[in-house]
Each structure stands twice: as C-alpha cells, then as structure tokens.
Amino acid sequence: MSKQNSGPLCSNEVTSPHAFDAEQALLGSILQNPDALDRAREHVRGEDFIDPVHRHLFEVMGQRRDAGEPIDLLLMTAALGDADVGGMTLRAYLIKLFTEATTVSGAPGYAKMIRDAAQMRRILETAKAAVAEMTAGSVHSPTAYATFMIQELDEVASAGLAEHARCVTLGQSVGSVIARVHQARAGLTPRSVPYGLPRLDHATLGMRPGQFIVVAGRTAMGKTTVAIHIAISAARGVGPVGMFSLEMVADELSERVLSAAAYDPYAQEPITYRAIAEGRGLSEQAVERLQEAERVCAGIPVWIEQQAGLTLAQIAARARQMRSRAERQGVPLAALLIDHIGLIRPSKRYYGNRVQEMTEITAGLKGLAKELGVPVLGLSQLNREVEKRQDKRPQLADLRESGSVEQDADVVLGLYREAYYLEHKADRTDVEEDRLARCLNTLEIEILKQRSGPTIRIECFCDVACNVLSEMAR
C-alpha cells in the first residue's frame, strides 16, 4: 500500500485533502492500546477515512470494541483475512502500523486531523458540484441548489460549534459552575439573558444558555408583544438577538417596535401600530415622536429573519450564521426567538403525523439551544379546549398537537388577558363592565413549568394596540 494509491485526485488535478499519515498513526495507536479507540471516536467516524482499507479497519475495530472483544494483530488478521493490500499482506501491514505508531496519547489529535480532512473534502465536493451545475449550459433558478449547498456546508460548520456540547466530566462541569459564580459575583459577566420583567427575571434567573423556553397563549393574548419586549430587553442588555418571524414580515414587526418606543402614557395622541401602518392620520407631533423612536431603535441589535416556511434545518443553519456574525463583532449571541413554533415547516420524515412532526421540531429546538449555548424562545398557540372552560387561563395540557412541547421545554410561560374575553362578550353586566375597565390593560404571565424554580403568576401592564409591556407595581 502507498500514499499514491490512497489519495485520489479530483478532476482538473486538484488534490483531494487527506490525512493519510494521521490515519496510519491512529490505527497503529489503537493496535498498541485499544483504549485509544474510545478517545478517537469522540471526534471521527469510519466514513471520515479516505483510504477504504483504513476505513474498514477502523469500523471492524469499533465493532469488536462494542462487542467486548479484544483488538490485537492476530485477532484482527483472523477477522479480516490476510488479503493483499498494496503489495503486502494485511498482517504485514498491521505489523507496520503497530511498530511505526509513535504515541497513544496523540490519538485524539490524529482523529481531529482525519475529521478535518474529511470535512475539507466535503466542502470541495460541494463546490465542484456547484461549478458543474452552474456551468452546465442552461439558465435556471439557482435557489434550490443554493439551499442544498447551504445545508451541506452547514453540517460542516455545525460540527465545530457543537464541541462544547459533548461529554465532560463532573469535575469539569462543577468547576465551570464555580467559575461562573465568581464571575457573576465580580460583575464580570451577565448571569443570564433578561426577560425585561423584574419579577419574572427573579423567579427564573432569566433566560439561561441552552434553555428552550415556550411562551404559550390563545389568539390575541399578546404573544408577539411579549416576544418583542423580550427581544429588545435581551438585545439591549446582552447582545444580538436573532428573531425568526415566520408569520409577520419585518415591517409589521418594526411598526410594533416603533409604537412601543414612541409610547408616552401622558401624551394626548396614542401612536398605535395600526396608526403607523396607515400613516396618513398621524400629526406632526406624532411623526416627531416616531423619528425619535427610530433613532433609539436603530442601534438595537435585533436581527429579523422574515422568510416564511423555514424548516428546522434552515432555522438552525441561519442561527449558526447569526452566532458566527456576532462572534466576528466580538459580542455574544444573546438569544433566538421563533414566532411561532407551529409555522416551522416539518421534514418529510413523519409526513402527515402532526404529533410526531411537532415532537421532532421541539426536540430539535432544544438541541439547537444546547448546541449554540443560547436560550431559544418559541411562541406556541394553545388549542381550542381553553374556550370550553369557565376559567380560560392556560394550562400545560392546552399546548397544541402533542405533549412534546411540554416535555422538551425547560420553561413554559402562559399568557392570559381577561379583557379580551370580556370585550367579546355580549350583554355584559354592570359588574363585568367594571371588571373590564379595571383589567383593560392587564396581562397575566404565569410560569406553568420551570425545571428548577417556582411557578408563579405575574401581572403586567400591556397596551396591546401600542405593543407596550411592563411589570405592574405590587
């Protein structure tokens, strides 16, 4: 066997990236000490080896290790046969690998080199395929192929981002916690990402890295109002926030943000987001307030992804791009918000089975939060069973389609506006009219689930028409 036979050439004499020497060194290390295989498999798979013989050797070693069988020269030869490999017998080649291996401790490093070379080959093959597709002589929309390329390359990009989510020892983990405690006590790093509502932040310790948080409510309960408030608070307090608006376009969201930023409880003319959308009826004073609000909002790093019908894979790819963009700016990505979970386009794996589709989506969002090390907040619609009850406050059982949302979420917040139901009730009594007047701008946020904290109910001031949210004084 020789390097010349192992490193195939691509067309146009472009040499395919490979780590042939590292492949040999890793296999030799495993033959010397099979424990090296366990460390190597944290980084590399059989398919990452460019040489087919090396690939087969690694896979057989893994199978024997998993079966509790020993890995040595004699048994490997017996398992594989003594076929000819590049001018020498397999047994002779195994002896060569064994005797030339330099260090067992270098196994993880060899594995990483093999993985990096495999990822480089994947990038090269994707680029070559793109060149061939784009120079085939026909003119067509590149959108579909560009989407394919993004998905292919994103798998390479995500491999590096997921390093921190892999197995750690208890000692490493508790050490990290203590270090974070000291940093928080010294004021060197934010403890978490704020919701922007003091009692909620106190009860939950804010949105923590890796958490999947669900904000649930029926139609017109104020989900988007809450989401925008949280996004603005997080962006101002920590860093950029990625907002996936699968329902509204960016202009609609911006109308709501401007309305909230221009809000003045003492002004005679309220500026609702509907009034901003219409535009014509605004006074000169209202326009001046909006222009000041624009200056305030211009520096808030909320990045809006407004394409509808995104799949979970596309959301993950764009979230990783957002994280990389934030890192290039020298700031952390604070959080991801998704409006809303039910509009994520499912994969074809469970086509027609909505329960399984939602389970795949919510599990994927939790996985994305852990991978990127940021909180992911998703809005969720409650089912119509709420409307059949006398007390229409949300319950965990009301989460739509399946229990997977409840299962995968670290925190579930339920929203309730009594005023909405009173406003839509015919023939209100005098008592109900009085209640409506008192609760007109009241929104209840209830912690329906929290893995490590209390479940409480918080009353907030919420002017839905102006998209304003703040905590009520107790």
Side-chain angles (χ1 to χ4, degrees):
M1 173 178 278
S2 65
K3 293 184 186 180
Q4 286 76 18
N5 294 333
S6 67
L9 294 180
C10 303
S11 59
N12 300 324
E13 298 301 318
V14 177
T15 304
S16 182
H18 65 82
F20 185 82
D21 291 341
E23 291 182 10
Q24 289 184 316
L26 177 60
L27 293 171
S29 297
I30 296 169
L31 288 170
Q32 287 190 359
N33 185 349
D35 289 344
L37 177 60
D38 300 327
R39 301 170 66 186
R41 287 204 289 186
E42 294 179 7
H43 308 285
V44 73
R45 299 171 296 180
E47 62 196 58
D48 293 331
F49 288 75
I50 192 171
D51 185 88
V53 173
H54 291 170
R55 185 183 310 125
H56 187 48
L57 283 172
F58 186 81
E59 290 171 347
V60 171
M61 287 173 170
Q63 291 166 5
R64 295 186 65 83
R65 186 71 167 172
D66 293 340
E69 298 173 352
I71 300 172
D72 60 31
L73 292 172
L74 180 62
L75 292 171
M76 285 295 292
T77 303
L80 294 166
D82 203 16
D84 179 82
V85 285
M88 66 175 69
T89 64
L90 179 61
R91 177 178 173 79
Y93 189 61
L94 289 174
I95 293 172
K96 177 178 183 291
L97 295 178
F98 179 87
T99 56
E100 292 183 357
T102 55
T103 171
V104 173
S105 62
Y110 301 143
K112 290 178 182 178
M113 288 179 64
I114 297 165
R115 179 200 62 195
D116 290 347
Q119 291 174 346
M120 290 173 67
R121 289 196 299 273
R122 186 167 186 176
I123 293 172
L124 179 60
E125 290 302 317
T126 303
K128 286 173 57 187
V131 170
E133 182 75 17
M134 296 302 111
T135 58
S138 62
V139 177
H140 53 274
S141 173
T143 303
Y145 199 81
T147 301
F148 164 76
M149 288 184 65
I150 289 171
Q151 292 175 345
E152 287 291 301
L153 296 176
D154 178 63
E155 291 189 20
V156 176
S158 64
L161 291 175
E163 286 283 343
H164 75 279
R166 291 178 178 166
C167 180
V168 297
T169 66
L170 177 61
Q172 291 170 326
S173 182
V174 295
S176 174
V177 170
I178 296 301
R180 193 171 67 246
V181 168
H182 288 313
Q183 288 177 332
R185 283 168 55 83
L188 299 177
T189 182
R191 180 177 56 184
S192 57
V193 180
Y195 288 96
L197 299 167
R199 285 191 67 206
L200 185 59
D201 285 325
H202 178 74
T204 61
L205 302 181
M207 298 185 290
R208 304 180 69 181
Q211 282 190 332
F212 174 42
I213 301 153
V214 172
V215 176
R218 286 290 294 156
T219 302
M221 290 296 107
K223 294 189 294 295
T224 302
T225 298
V226 171
I228 290 175
H229 176 85
I230 292 173
I232 297 297
S233 298
R236 281 175 164 167
V238 178
V241 171
M243 189 163 189
F244 291 83
S245 181
L246 306 182
E247 189 169 34
M248 299 183 190
V249 297
D251 281 0
E252 290 178 291
L253 286 175
S254 296
E255 289 162 2
R256 292 168 179 255
V257 172
L258 284 170
S259 179
Y263 184 77
D264 182 352
Y266 304 105
Q268 293 183 345
E269 180 185 4
I271 306 176
T272 65
Y273 59 80
R274 179 178 176 84
I276 296 173
E278 292 175 345
R280 290 176 298 179
L282 294 173
S283 66
E284 286 296 325
Q285 291 179 330
V287 172
E288 289 176 5
R289 284 165 56 195
L290 285 176
Q291 289 173 336
E292 177 59 30
E294 179 192 11
R295 286 190 286 272
V296 171
C297 295
I300 301 175
V302 175
W303 300 337
I304 302 172
E305 175 57 67
Q306 59 180 331
Q307 183 178 342
L310 293 177
T311 64
L312 180 61
Q314 290 172 320
I315 289 173
R318 296 180 193 194
R320 294 178 189 117
Q321 292 169 7
M322 289 177 178
R323 173 176 151 155
S324 297
R325 176 182 171 188
E327 288 177 342
R328 288 195 299 271
Q329 295 178 7
V331 293
L333 181 66
L336 297 173
L337 276 74
I338 300 167
D339 184 8
H340 58 83
I341 295 172
L343 294 178
I344 297 175
R345 183 158 56 91
S347 69
K348 296 179 180 179
R349 183 178 181 184
Y350 299 109
Y351 182 75
N353 187 330
R354 188 57 178 164
V355 172
Q356 289 300 321
E357 287 176 345
M358 284 300 296
T359 297
E360 182 182 41
I361 287 169
T362 56
L365 291 174
K366 173 60 181 175
L368 182 63
K370 293 180 69 175
E371 176 193 325
L372 297 183
V374 302
V376 173
L377 185 146
L379 306 188
S380 180
Q381 184 84 314
L382 295 178
N383 63 40
R384 292 186 176 86
E385 291 300 312
V386 176
E387 310 300 336
K388 300 177 183 178
R389 298 197 301 263
Q390 184 68 30
D391 184 352
K392 294 178 173 52
R393 288 181 173 86
Q395 302 172 3
L396 282 177
D398 299 324
L399 285 168
R400 176 170 284 180
E401 269 105 21
S402 75
S404 66
V405 177
E406 174 190 349
Q407 173 183 315
D408 294 324
D410 298 285
V411 177
V412 178
L413 305 177
L415 308 184
Y416 174 68
R417 289 178 55 240
E418 184 182 13
Y420 171 80
Y421 292 103
L422 291 173
E423 285 173 331
H424 289 80
K425 184 177 180 180
D427 302 322
R428 289 189 295 269
T429 64
D430 290 342
V431 173
E432 289 170 336
E433 288 286 358
D434 181 61
R435 281 174 57 197
L436 176 58
R438 285 188 286 110
C439 72
L440 188 60
N441 290 322
T442 300
L443 167 68
E444 293 181 7
I445 301 179
E446 185 170 359
I447 303 175
L448 298 176
K449 175 190 175 182
Q450 184 176 195
R451 292 196 194 278
S452 54
T455 55
I456 62 172
R457 185 180 297 164
I458 301 165
E459 283 196 352
C460 299
F461 171 84
C462 181
D463 187 332
V464 175
C466 293
N467 209 81
V468 172
L469 180 71
S470 65
E471 190 173 302
M472 284 184 172
R474 287 192 286 176

